[in-house]
Structures are given as structure tokens and as C-alpha cells.
Amino acid sequence: MKSRFVSQWIEDFLRERPMRANSLIITIYGDAISSHGGSVWLGSFIKLVKPLGINDRLVRTSVFRLSKDSWLTSEHIGRRSYYGLTATGKRRFEHAHRRIYFQPKVHWEGDWQLVLTTSNTLTPTLRDEVRKELQWEGFGLIAPGVLAHPSANLEPLLDILQSNEVQDSVVVLRAKSLGTLVNKPTRELVRDCWNLESISQDYKRFLDRFRPVLKSLKSARELDPEQCFVVRTLLMHEFRRTLLRDPQLPDQLLPHDWPGNAARQLCRELYVLVRKESENHLMSILETAHGRLPEAAPYFYERFGGLVSN
């Protein structure tokens, strides 16, 4: 039985927070479909997203645009169309997957990564694309053509450079803070490169929006599968939009009352709560070229520090 409170919460949310269909579809593919093989029949997907206020025509227009933007690829079997992730789409999701579902716990000792994109071998278009991807990964523009991040983890950086085939066209350096790790000039640099105040406000709004529905679902005798799917989708859509703007700086560089940790904890708690019923809903609605949707891959259960798999 559907909860009247949750139904009203969903209705209010969709009215107050109108969302672009393209972006919402990306959220669903990344959070729900990618771990189930990544490709589904369009007709079943249209049925899945109807409770989110996305109609048939809008879905078809959006998946066409996402295909043109190299997110999705289509396969036609008979009169049915199946949409799955492209190699580029999978790579983009892998980058986001690390940041969304796994909180880095690294003791920062003053390490910095620097990327210089001033080489004449980079075209303006490619330089702009690399800059955007690096900023999406949390890098800040500290000077024209110079991006930096306070991290010693090179794997995401090298992956971006190699996938764009620019590893021989940029200069990658490792720097280290000397003396005091965090001083006034360092904090000024952080303030100038990353808009932490704006991100902090987004986290606080996230907490205010989702605390009521968490409280309601925790007290419910039973959970409705469709409502769980809708709540999970809105949860991850909002969390993703804020988190992917968050450079995930070391604790030493963050304000002492940083709300990102509380937002992640709430997100994990609500995600775990609706996970089982939302997965049941996916399995009952979506179809692939081979029949019913396959079970989620094992890596799905590693999200947020571990999900119960039964």
C-alpha cells in the first residue's frame, strides 16, 4: 500500500524541483540500470519513469539526444529498441561511481596534483574538454591553464588524460605543502578555486528535503516498491548533482561545520532502507533483449560501505 505522506512528498518535490529529463535519465542509468547489464527495452523504461512525470514523447526525445551526446547507444531487434550505455557513457559513470558511492578516507599530508594544459599541441576545444573533466573530478583552476587538487591519488587523473588521449600533451606535477599544511594563503586559495559556501548550502537543502521522507519510511509497516524506486531516484539525483560539484577536499581544508558528511550519512541510510523494494520494482518492470532484467552485479552491493544482499 502506498504511503499518502510519501505520495504527497513526491508530488511536492516534482512540482518544486522541476528536473531536466536528460539529466534524470542519466541518474537512472547510472544508479539503477548500469549494475543490471546497462541495456533495457525502451518500452519498459518508459513505463518505469512514468511516476517521475516523464511521458513517452519526452523519453524518446531525451534518449535520442543522449545518443547524440555519446551517453547511450541503441539496438533494434524487430520492432523494439534497446538502449544501453556507450563505452564513453560507461567511463563517465565509472568516474562518478567512485565519488558518489565511496567516500575517500585519506590522511592528507599536504600532497597536491598539478596539471598544466598550456601546451600548443592541445586544440582550444580539447583543452576546454579536459578542463571540464578535471573540474568534474574536483580539480580547481588556480591560474590560466593550471589546475590543482589536494590529493595523492593519480588513478582518476591518469584515466581522464588517457581516455582523452592527451597524456603526451599536458604536464602533470606533484607538489607538497612546506611547513604548515594549512595557513591563511592556502585557505584563500581554496576559497578562490572552489565555491564551498554554495556547495554547503546545497548540502543543507538536501538534508532538509530528505529528512522528512526518511523519517516517514522508517516508521512505515511496509514499503511500496514503486515509491521506493521514485524516492531512490530523486535521492540519488539530488545527491549526485551536489556531490559532483564537491571537490572532496581533505578535512583540514574544509570548514569545521561542513555538512557534506551528514548528507552522505543520510543518503546512505535512506538508500539502504529503500534498496530492496526499489530493486524488486526494477526487476518487475524492466526488460532486456534476453528477457527479464538480470540480477545486480556483485559490485552493486559494495556501495556506501556495503549493502545487505538478501
Side-chain angles (χ1 to χ4, degrees):
M1 179 180 296
K2 285 183 168 60
S3 161
R4 284 185 292 178
F5 176 86
V6 175
S7 293
Q8 187 62 53
W9 181 89
I10 292 171
E11 181 181 333
D12 293 343
F13 191 107
L14 294 175
R15 183 183 65 254
E16 296 167 4
R17 295 283 291 169
M19 290 168 282
R20 293 174 54 247
N22 289 22
S23 182
L24 197 58
I25 289 171
I26 287 173
T27 293
I28 295 169
Y29 263 88
D31 179 65
I33 297 177
S34 61
S35 60
H36 287 275
S39 178
V40 296
W41 173 42
L42 181 60
S44 66
F45 185 79
I46 289 171
K47 183 178 180 181
L48 179 73
V49 301
K50 186 177 179 180
L52 288 158
I54 309 178
N55 61 35
D56 183 325
R57 180 188 59 80
L58 192 52
V59 172
R60 295 182 187 277
T61 301
S62 296
V63 297
F64 175 75
R65 289 174 178 168
L66 290 170
S67 297
K68 290 186 66 176
D69 290 339
S70 300
W71 279 98
L72 300 177
T73 182
S74 62
E75 178 183 11
H76 302 279
I77 302 177
R79 300 181 63 181
R80 287 187 168 190
S81 298
Y82 299 84
Y83 280 83
L85 299 172
T86 63
T88 299
K90 289 178 181 177
R91 178 175 59 81
R92 290 168 176 169
F93 281 135
E94 286 170 1
H95 285 167
H97 189 271
R98 288 193 297 263
R99 299 185 65 189
I100 293 170
Y101 302 109
F102 299 93
Q103 184 175 21
K105 289 293 184 181
V106 179
H107 177 65
W108 188 61
E109 296 182 347
D111 296 287
W112 291 82
Q113 294 175 19
L114 301 178
V115 182
L116 281 60
T117 63
T118 54
S119 170
N120 292 329
T121 61
L122 283 176
T123 65
T125 300
L126 188 54
R127 181 179 293 109
D128 189 54
E129 182 64 28
V130 171
R131 177 185 58 79
K132 287 180 180 178
E133 283 211 45
L134 289 174
Q135 289 182 308
W136 194 39
E137 192 63 33
F139 279 74
L141 189 66
I142 64 172
V146 182
L147 295 106
H149 191 274
S151 170
N153 183 11
L154 285 173
E155 183 180 348
L157 168 59
L158 296 178
D159 187 29
I160 290 172
L161 299 181
Q162 290 168 2
S163 62
N164 284 281
E165 300 181 350
V166 297
Q167 62 269 33
D168 296 325
S169 300
V170 302
V171 177
V172 178
L173 302 173
R174 175 173 287 171
K176 195 173 185 67
S177 299
L178 299 179
T180 304
L181 290 185
V182 182
N183 53 23
K184 184 178 179 181
T186 305
R187 293 197 179 280
E188 291 175 350
L189 176 68
V190 169
R191 186 185 64 245
D192 292 341
C193 290
W194 294 281
N195 192 348
L196 295 183
E197 179 58 32
S198 174
I199 297 169
S200 174
Q201 292 303 315
D202 285 345
Y203 275 133
K204 291 175 182 177
R205 283 189 288 267
F206 173 87
L207 288 164
D208 290 341
R209 287 191 186 103
F210 285 93
R211 277 175 177 146
V213 75
L214 173 62
K215 181 179 179 181
S216 176
L217 291 174
K218 286 177 71 173
S219 63
R221 291 184 178 180
E222 59 180 339
L223 303 180
D224 178 76
E226 182 183 277
Q227 286 187 336
C228 285
F229 164 72
V230 173
V231 169
R232 170 179 161 182
T233 300
L234 296 177
L235 172 76
M236 295 314 300
H237 190 67
E238 287 294 294
F239 189 60
R240 177 178 72 91
R241 291 206 302 186
T242 300
L243 185 71
L244 294 183
R245 292 179 55 235
D246 184 350
Q248 294 188 313
L249 302 178
D251 289 342
Q252 295 98 313
L253 297 176
L254 293 172
H256 71 278
D257 57 348
W258 183 244
N261 295 330
R264 176 174 289 276
Q265 179 57 36
L266 183 149
C267 185
R268 181 191 186 281
E269 190 173 353
L270 185 49
Y271 196 90
V272 170
L273 184 62
V274 301
R275 190 273 311 168
K276 183 177 180 180
E277 293 303 332
S278 64
E279 286 289 292
N280 289 342
H281 186 66
L282 291 171
M283 300 291 290
S284 70
I285 298 292
L286 293 177
E287 298 179 39
T288 74
H290 305 289
R292 69 188 299 272
L293 194 70
E295 296 286 343
Y299 73 81
F300 169 76
Y301 297 100
E302 297 174 0
R303 293 176 176 180
F304 292 113
L307 304 174
V308 178
S309 60
N310 53 26

